[in-house]
Amino acid sequence: MNNAELFERARRVIPGGVNSPVRAFRAVGGTPRFIARAEGAYMFDVEGKRYIDYIGSWGPMILGHRHPAVEEAVHRAVDQGLSFGAPTEREIELAEEILRHVPSMEQVRLVSSGTEAAMSALRLARGATGRSSIVKFEGCYHGHADALLVKAGSGLATFGHPTSAGVPESVVQHTLVLEYNSVAQLDEAFALHGPKIACVMIEPIAGNMNFVRSSLPFMQRLRELCSQHGALLVFDEVMTGFRVGLGGAQALYAGSLPGFAPDLSIFGKVIGGGMPLAAFGGKRSVMEQLAPLGPVYQAGTLSGNPVATACGLATLREIAKPGFFDALAERTRVILAGLIDAAEAAGIAMVGDCEGGMFGFFFASELPRRYGDVMATDSARFNRFFHAMLDRGVYFAPALYEAGFVSAAHTRADIAATLDAAAASFAG
Ligand SMILES: *Cc1c(COP(=O)(O)O)cnc(C)c1O
């Protein structure tokens, strides 16, 4: 069956034909590609067409597909049994490996998805502070837990409204949504609600509105306000963790703001290396509020699954090798600069930003700083570019509010082919 036939068949038995909405190509139109297999920097669809993959399963595949060390670790784990529901040594090894690179955390708990990690961190923050209100930012995605599917209310005195049917107003009545990078809104929100705020959750580099960094003054003020008011600062590094660098985005902020650290952090994507695995962690005093030690309940049948931990551990050990991120970041910079050059040569305004193996580009003349800026970029041009590239065998994320990912498997030749395709797409 070809892509179109499979899509029709899928839509009969799976809502929208997909198991996660953005895969359906609704933003860009057209038929989703059904992937048969992947290898290195490439994915192959059921029609045998090859694509240079800049999605990397939305972030996890930082080593490229089918990395030999990862495959071997997974095969070995499978040979020992799929799931035990009892503790294993490998869970300790993975926890130790994560903690080794993230000094803000003393303990970590493993879960199976970023959504679960965010939901659990939220409960822990509320349990540890004894407070109910939470703050998030417009354009940040923290998975699909009810309390986090919220858009801004009509003002800072009011809390948010659900962005999904099935989420009662009462469930989001404690969620305040602020504009990303707005120091003024932060100040106002803490002045109005400070003593009630359990935590502020943020994507330090927002990858769910393409690629937008928190400015240093904004991050510094956020840290100050959380500390002054006794609220926990929660870094959602599900995307940026072990992707923008070994220590995640927090290492970048700590590098510029002495002593900087979030109180809780959540990870996913890369730490599972392509298997369902995520984590949340922080200081021992906060983490020990969790069951079985403390009153905050949290659990999971498949948490710390032996195959997933083998996959994650093998991945982290590869990317911790000296020079890995320097080489990855260099590749990413070359791709981004090349795309911008190709656009400029065609007289098209494009800007972009990148860090480690993550990048974003916008059809705009200035880098967006907040969600509204991202949504004001040229979406029609993005959609044309997306399809022109896909036709030429280059697979970018099928929506302009998604980041791009480069892997260690992308060769010079892949990058050159990508940039040739971009030049041809802009000319056509
Ligand atoms: C992907 C993502 C999540 C959700 O993770 P899932 O594993 O899809 O549940 C949460 N936060 C951020 C920043 C993400 O990019």
Side-chain angles (χ1 to χ4, degrees):
M1 281 193 176
N2 64 26
N3 289 304
E5 289 161 346
L6 284 176
F7 193 37
E8 200 179 309
R9 182 172 149 209
R11 277 182 296 183
R12 283 200 286 273
V13 289
I14 301 171
V18 292
N19 285 311
S20 196
V22 73
R23 297 178 197 169
F25 276 27
R26 294 291 280 255
V28 292
T31 305
R33 303 305 192 261
F34 283 72
I35 303 304
R37 65 187 185 87
E39 182 85 47
Y42 311 124
M43 292 205 296
F44 299 83
D45 73 10
V46 290
E47 297 174 20
K49 186 174 163 90
R50 190 189 89 171
Y51 301 91
I52 303 174
D53 178 16
Y54 289 102
I55 304 181
S57 188
W58 301 94
M61 310 313 297
I62 194 165
L63 297 171
H65 300 279
R66 302 201 57 201
H67 187 281
V70 176
E71 267 201 3
E72 200 203 313
V74 169
H75 285 154
R76 242 187 295 121
V78 166
D79 288 343
Q80 292 163 346
L82 296 181
S83 184
F84 314 131
T88 61
E89 184 172 357
R90 206 175 296 122
E91 291 164 273
I92 313 171
E93 288 181 287
L94 181 58
E96 287 169 347
E97 184 69 17
I98 294 170
L99 295 177
R100 187 158 81 82
H101 298 294
V102 187
S104 70
M105 305 197 304
E106 292 170 343
Q107 288 197 323
V108 65
R109 180 161 280 177
L110 304 179
V111 295
S112 301
S113 74
T115 293
E116 208 186 336
M119 189 184 84
S120 304
L122 201 61
R123 184 179 304 140
L124 176 59
R126 283 169 157 167
T129 58
R131 301 173 179 185
S132 298
S133 298
I134 57 175
V135 174
K136 77 175 285 286
F137 298 93
E138 196 180 13
C140 288
Y141 176 67
H142 306 294
H144 61 89
D146 283 355
L148 294 166
L149 288 181
V150 192
K151 65 177 177 234
S154 51
L156 295 184
T158 63
F159 283 74
H161 300 302
T163 50
S164 166
V167 178
E169 292 274 351
S170 59
V171 171
V172 302
Q173 67 181 352
H174 301 292
T175 309
L176 190 60
V177 184
L178 308 182
E179 193 174 278
Y180 201 75
N181 273 326
S182 169
V183 172
Q185 288 204 3
L186 270 186
D187 284 337
E188 200 181 334
F190 272 94
L192 284 168
H193 306 291
K196 290 190 298 186
I197 298 174
C199 70
V200 178
M201 188 176 280
I202 187 166
E203 284 183 76
I205 296 174
N208 287 285
M209 49 173 160
N210 196 327
F211 187 111
V212 181
R213 285 172 199 268
S214 298
S215 76
L216 280 180
F218 175 77
M219 193 53 83
Q220 187 168 22
R221 188 68 186 137
L222 176 55
R223 181 63 274 182
E224 279 169 14
L225 285 166
C226 285
S227 299
Q228 277 167 24
H229 291 267
L232 301 183
L233 175 56
V234 185
F235 260 34
D236 180 348
E237 299 230 43
V238 171
M239 189 183 291
T240 53
F242 299 90
R243 165 55 72 178
V244 300
L246 262 188
Q250 56 193 267
L252 301 173
Y253 290 94
S256 304
L257 304 170
F260 180 90
D263 299 301
L264 287 174
S265 301
I266 70 178
F267 293 90
K269 297 191 170 115
V270 170
I271 67 162
M275 295 288 287
L277 195 150
F280 63 104
K283 290 269 176 290
R284 195 178 307 278
S285 57
V286 177
M287 293 303 286
E288 287 185 345
Q289 299 295 311
L290 285 172
L293 298 177
V296 180
Y297 191 70
Q298 189 278 331
T301 301
L302 296 177
S303 293
N305 173 270
V307 184
T309 48
C311 186
L313 195 57
T315 301
L316 294 190
R317 283 181 176 156
E318 286 299 315
I319 69 177
K321 290 181 176 168
F324 178 88
F325 272 98
D326 290 339
L328 185 66
E330 178 57 22
R331 277 192 198 85
T332 309
R333 281 192 292 269
V334 169
I335 292 166
L336 181 62
L339 289 174
I340 293 172
D341 285 349
E344 194 182 318
I348 294 164
M350 182 193 269
V351 290
D353 196 0
C354 65
E355 192 68 52
M358 175 174 164
F359 67 95
F361 60 84
F362 303 91
F363 290 103
S365 43
E366 248 182 85
L367 269 183
R369 287 173 43 83
R370 56 184 67 82
Y371 183 68
D373 300 344
V374 175
M375 291 301 135
T377 64
D378 190 341
S379 61
R381 185 174 290 285
F382 174 85
N383 293 350
R384 282 201 305 279
F385 181 63
F386 167 80
H387 277 295
M389 293 298 275
L390 195 68
D391 289 346
R392 291 176 171 85
V394 180
Y395 201 151
F396 287 127
L400 68 77
Y401 48 82
E402 305 288 353
F405 302 104
V406 179
S407 81
H410 287 80
T411 62
R412 261 174 216 289
D414 295 326
I415 295 171
T418 301
L419 298 180
D420 285 348
S425 299
F426 287 136

